[in-house]
Amino acid sequence: MAVSARTRKSARLQRLEAAINYPIDWLEERSGLVGGLRYFLFRKVPGDSNWFHTLGSATLTAFLVQATTGVILAMYYKPEPKTAYASIQHITNDVTLGWLVRGMHKWGASVFIILLFFHMARVFLFGAYKYPRELNWIVGVLLLVMGMAEGFTGYLLPWDQTSYWATVVGINLNGTVPFLGPYIAQFLRGGAEIGPDTLARFYSIHMLLIPGAIFALIGLHLYLVVRLGVSSPPWSKEAAGADWVEEQVTTNGRSGLTQPAARSSWRRNGGDAE
Amino acid sequence: MSAIDERRSQFKKYKEDVKDRGKPFYPYAMFHDTVMSLVVVGVIVGLASVWFYTSGENPDTCGGKDSCLLGPRYSEPADPGTTNFVPRPDWYFYFLFYLLRIFKWPDSVILGTVGIPTILLIIAFALPFLDIRSERRLSRRPVAVVAAILVVISMGELTYKGAVAKEALASEVVAAVPQWAQREGFANDPKAVAGANVFAEGGCTSCHTYLGTGGGNLGAPDLSAEGSKGKGVQGLESYVADPSKFGNTVMPKFGAFASIPAKDAQGKDLGISQLRVLAIFLDASKGPK
């Protein structure tokens, strides 16, 4: 009785498993995405990676907050000089939780920029921009420039005195670039004066052009992170790929767990067994 | 072994080390990432809430308090006609904003607007090619450590100074006008005095300085002796109306003043525009006697 019940159950389980696996296999056969995700999730990172390594994903989270709240704001915001200010007031004071969405977008921008700088400082201090990760550093600097450009173009959108006059001067400062300056200023203004065309232009750059570029650059950034791996902290006694680890072991005459061979076999058998 | 071969073998060793004694991204690193991301979202929600509940519904108000903890919800609606407003960027541009107090129009302002930012950007992009040693330990990278400390201190200092930069309040500036007239010697010229009032109330001192009063922002020069440069009333008038015609692309246009009639201290119409009295005032400013 008991045995046959177990067999029946296991047959049912098998059918259930097959039913769950079918769409996954279907997707995998046609796209390879499942394998890609599995690779991404179960790839090895250095054993000594720590909280400092979370600054990059924290920056990504701040960006995703900006993207999400930005999409919601775009549903209520009206990029016309006559209506922009009123729509910002409407979002902040009338729309359900509108204050939270606008507040998160406004303050998320600052958090995003701060995290960009912290992440950059971490990479600098870890020497993580060195061979073979030079290209990823350059992509990161580009992302920083894009983030600052988002700040500049987004600042105008509330169309209040603060944003208007800061942008007047900001565009004028762009105009001091030798030779190209007047053309840059003209392009940003969309004419000789700041007006409806400027606002529409800043809105389009702020919510389409630069975010698109940022998404693409983040994709490239993450691809390179996964391909090249992250650097161990330089002070780590077991830093991956560091020639100073053996040096230390031999000069200090340490033995046992700190010796690479012994430690790695311990790790394989114990802590991180898959 | 050449330098590049050495680096290649080092990276090969890195890959092997990670494979041998690394930990899988999920769940170890991902746990840290998730906790940190939740903290980030929490901080953003917290800032948004504090900002909203310490500010008022009306422009520039703080729900009964003098100053909002995290700023007002918005200022007054944009008005190209008013000039009494200090142009102030978001905080992460303060270091550039304050840099322009150090450089002056027209000689060196380009260093602040283009020169230094461009150099910083080029260094940032070129960093991996300037620092090609494979050494990563801080104790053996003294140049990098000193450079990092200097960058953090100077950016922090400029950002802080930009944040606390004193702004010239229109009421304080207007109170200084009789003293200006005395020291510059135009007290007997009602048009020049009227122009000084336009200068004080119009927000010119947000950027310019005059006998020690004013912001000195954005590279704007001191105007205490502007009249001694021989531009003439006519020249000054057309300059202020549209500085870009004279190659000054930083200063905004103030042509709107041409359509506002000027009044003297008693409120009597002077029969000329505010732009005109402003030019007369600047022309009468030959420097303190």
Side-chain angles (χ1 to χ4, degrees):
Chain A
M1 265 299 272
V3 172
S4 75
R6 211 181 295 134
T7 344
R8 261 210 311 279
K9 200 178 170 191
S10 104
R12 212 184 302 145
L13 252 178
Q14 267 173 1
R15 275 203 303 280
L16 188 68
E17 225 169 66
I20 292 171
N21 278 337
Y22 181 78
I24 297 173
D25 292 340
W26 188 94
L27 191 67
E28 171 65 8
E29 189 185 347
R30 281 154 186 84
S31 68
L33 282 175
V34 181
L37 181 67
R38 195 192 301 261
Y39 177 78
F40 177 79
L41 285 178
F42 298 105
R43 80 200 140 96
K44 292 280 192 68
V45 294
D48 49 10
S49 53
N50 58 30
W51 286 99
F52 283 107
H53 289 95
T54 63
L55 286 166
S57 65
T59 315
L60 175 64
T61 302
F63 175 70
L64 292 178
V65 167
Q66 292 306 96
T68 314
T69 52
V71 166
I72 300 172
L73 287 174
M75 295 173 180
Y76 293 91
Y77 176 71
K78 300 184 177 67
E80 281 275 329
K82 286 197 186 98
T83 52
Y85 185 76
S87 70
I88 289 288
Q89 281 188 314
H90 178 62
I91 290 168
T92 318
N93 301 324
D94 306 333
V95 176
T96 308
L97 290 180
W99 66 269
L100 182 63
V101 175
R102 182 176 165 230
M104 284 179 75
H105 199 72
K106 177 184 162 72
W107 290 99
S110 290
V111 171
F112 178 53
I113 299 276
I114 289 176
L115 286 172
L116 275 172
F117 276 112
F118 280 0
H119 177 50
M120 193 180 187
R122 196 283 291 173
V123 170
F124 182 83
L125 294 176
F126 277 30
Y129 53 87
K130 290 165 186 257
Y131 176 89
R133 303 185 180 86
E134 300 98 324
L135 184 60
N136 218 11
W137 170 268
I138 293 173
V139 174
V141 176
L142 268 175
L143 279 165
L144 176 69
V145 173
M146 294 288 163
M148 301 281 278
E150 278 292 74
F152 177 65
T153 49
Y155 205 57
L156 177 67
L157 302 184
W159 203 251
D160 60 2
Q161 287 283 64
T162 316
S163 63
Y164 180 85
W165 287 102
T167 307
V168 168
V169 174
I171 291 179
N172 285 351
L173 293 179
N174 276 291
T176 62
V177 176
F179 311 115
L180 292 174
Y183 301 101
I184 297 174
Q186 178 86 12
F187 167 75
L188 286 172
R189 272 193 297 259
E193 301 291 337
I194 291 195
D197 290 345
T198 321
L199 186 54
R201 188 162 292 225
F202 270 51
Y203 186 52
S204 162
I205 294 174
H206 182 77
M207 54 110 54
L208 292 170
L209 184 65
I210 303 180
I214 290 182
F215 268 116
L217 286 169
I218 287 178
L220 180 57
H221 203 64
L222 286 179
Y223 166 74
L224 289 174
V225 167
V226 172
R227 184 185 160 87
L228 301 171
V230 296
S231 305
S232 285
W235 58 78
S236 169
K237 295 249 189 306
E238 45 184 71
D243 45 11
W244 66 78
V245 175
E246 270 96 341
E247 249 173 55
Q248 213 122 33
V249 171
T250 48
T251 51
N252 294 355
R254 291 245 189 98
S255 61
L257 284 184
T258 51
Q259 230 154 43
R263 186 180 50 225
S264 63
S265 69
W266 166 70
R267 288 235 163 197
R268 259 200 299 273
N269 300 334
D272 295 337
E274 268 179 271
Chain B
M1 212 162 36
S2 73
I4 184 70
D5 286 335
E6 204 170 305
R7 278 184 278 162
R8 278 180 189 141
S9 73
Q10 216 168 18
F11 184 61
K12 200 163 153 256
K13 182 170 180 299
Y14 164 85
K15 283 283 188 189
E16 283 161 5
D17 282 355
V18 171
K19 208 176 155 202
D20 287 348
R21 47 193 174 88
K23 55 188 181 185
F25 174 74
Y26 175 87
Y28 298 98
M30 201 160 168
F31 169 71
H32 287 144
D33 284 341
T34 309
V35 171
M36 186 67 168
S37 292
L38 289 173
V39 170
V40 167
V41 175
V43 167
I44 295 174
V45 170
L47 284 168
S49 307
V50 172
W51 164 75
F52 181 74
Y53 287 109
T54 56
S55 58
E57 205 168 301
N58 293 320
D60 287 321
T61 57
C62 304
K65 284 179 263 343
D66 286 343
S67 65
C68 320
L69 198 56
L70 292 177
R73 291 180 198 172
Y74 24 71
S75 49
E76 296 285 343
D79 181 0
T82 62
T83 49
N84 195 0
F85 198 84
V86 185
R88 200 168 246 288
D90 218 346
W91 66 268
Y92 38 85
F93 289 112
Y94 278 176
F95 73 102
L96 288 174
F97 174 72
Y98 198 81
L99 208 53
L100 294 175
R101 283 200 178 198
I102 299 165
F103 299 102
K104 288 293 166 204
W105 178 265
D107 316 310
S108 59
V109 79
I110 197 170
L111 280 176
T113 58
V114 185
I116 290 179
T118 308
I119 291 169
L120 286 177
L121 209 54
I122 290 175
I123 292 176
F125 275 117
L127 177 70
F129 309 103
L130 298 173
D131 177 16
I132 50 171
R133 292 186 316 142
S134 61
E135 181 59 59
R136 298 203 294 115
R137 279 165 295 180
L138 286 175
S139 56
R140 304 193 187 191
R141 292 166 63 207
V143 179
V145 171
V146 170
I149 292 172
L150 286 180
V151 166
V152 168
I153 289 178
S154 50
M155 294 271 280
E157 173 87 0
L158 286 171
T159 302
Y160 174 75
K161 284 194 159 176
V164 299
K166 206 172 150 269
E167 280 151 15
L169 291 170
S171 56
E172 287 171 18
V173 182
V174 171
V177 168
Q179 190 211 338
W180 290 354
Q182 209 76 54
R183 287 179 63 193
E184 295 264 353
F186 59 75
N188 296 325
D189 181 351
K191 287 176 182 170
V193 174
N197 276 309
V198 172
F199 182 82
E201 286 164 3
C204 303
T205 49
S206 298
C207 296
H208 290 283
T209 49
Y210 192 91
L211 291 178
T213 307
N217 283 321
L218 303 166
D222 184 82
L223 296 178
S224 313
E226 190 65 12
S228 58
K229 292 179 186 163
K231 285 179 185 159
V233 174
Q234 198 66 50
L236 286 162
E237 195 176 343
S238 42
Y239 191 99
V240 175
D242 188 356
S244 65
K245 285 204 181 115
F246 299 84
N248 182 347
T249 52
V250 179
M251 182 172 152
K253 299 166 186 176
F254 293 107
F257 280 118
S259 51
I260 309 171
K263 294 191 165 93
D264 71 3
Q266 282 76 44
K268 202 179 82 203
D269 203 321
L270 289 168
I272 48 176
S273 74
Q274 286 200 342
L275 184 63
R276 184 80 183 174
V277 292
L278 192 58
I280 291 170
F281 154 70
L282 288 173
D283 189 57
S285 303
K286 311 281 191 201
K289 297 233 160 64

